[in-house]
Amino acid sequence: MNMKLELFVLPISDVDRARAFYEKAGFRLDLAKDINEDYRVVHLTPPGSEASIIFGRGLTTALPGSAQGLYLVVTDIEQARAQLVERGIEVSEVFHDGKGVFFHGHDAGDVVHKGQGQVRIAGPHPERASYGSYATFSDPDGNGWVLQEITQRAPGR
């Protein structure tokens, strides 16, 4: 049986501010509904994605900004970064992980993530290896997103 990740509940503090940010980033608005003053839902989908985000009032008890490591896969990291920057989104410079396995940092400004063995090296992966180049950004609450360049999927993906 296939299981596809379809939806992620994003913890935010201000529904209108979050909606404006994600629409500015190019996410498609799928639903915006005020049920009552305690329950409000906004559902958006990143460009070309089958998975979506949902946020609002009365949806989660998670702290705003506590979602980290939300990956958006792109085929051209520099073009994807440029498009977000053109839309007014603050995005880190493109980098690659010096350990070359999996980027697992959170702060866009960190160079070395102490205790994690994480090392950010400026620029895309030297061979432009699939899964090897990244850029990061955060929404107004601090929920952390990672752009990851994948040009050729690993077997079975």
Side-chain angles (χ1 to χ4, degrees), residues 1 32 44 49-50 52 70 73-74 77-78 83 90-91 96 111-112 116 121 134-135 145 147 149 155:
M1 173 189 298
L44 297 119
S49 180
E50 292 184 24
S52 302
L70 302 164
V73 171
V74 300
I77 192 78
E78 291 168 329
Q83 286 176 353
E90 188 174 320
V91 184
H96 61 281
V111 174
V112 176
Q116 298 177 8
I121 300 174
Y134 308 92
W145 292 87
L147 298 175
E149 183 177 75

Side-chain angles (χ1 to χ4, degrees), residues 3 6 18 20 34 53 63 82 89 122:
M3 292 186 189
E6 184 75 20
D34 290 328
I53 60 170
L63 294 175
I89 306 300

Side-chain angles (χ1 to χ4, degrees), residues 4 29 36 44 47 50 58 60 98 103 133-134:
K4 294 183 178 183
L29 177 65
N36 59 46
L44 297 119
E50 292 184 24
T60 182
F103 173 70
S133 300
Y134 308 92

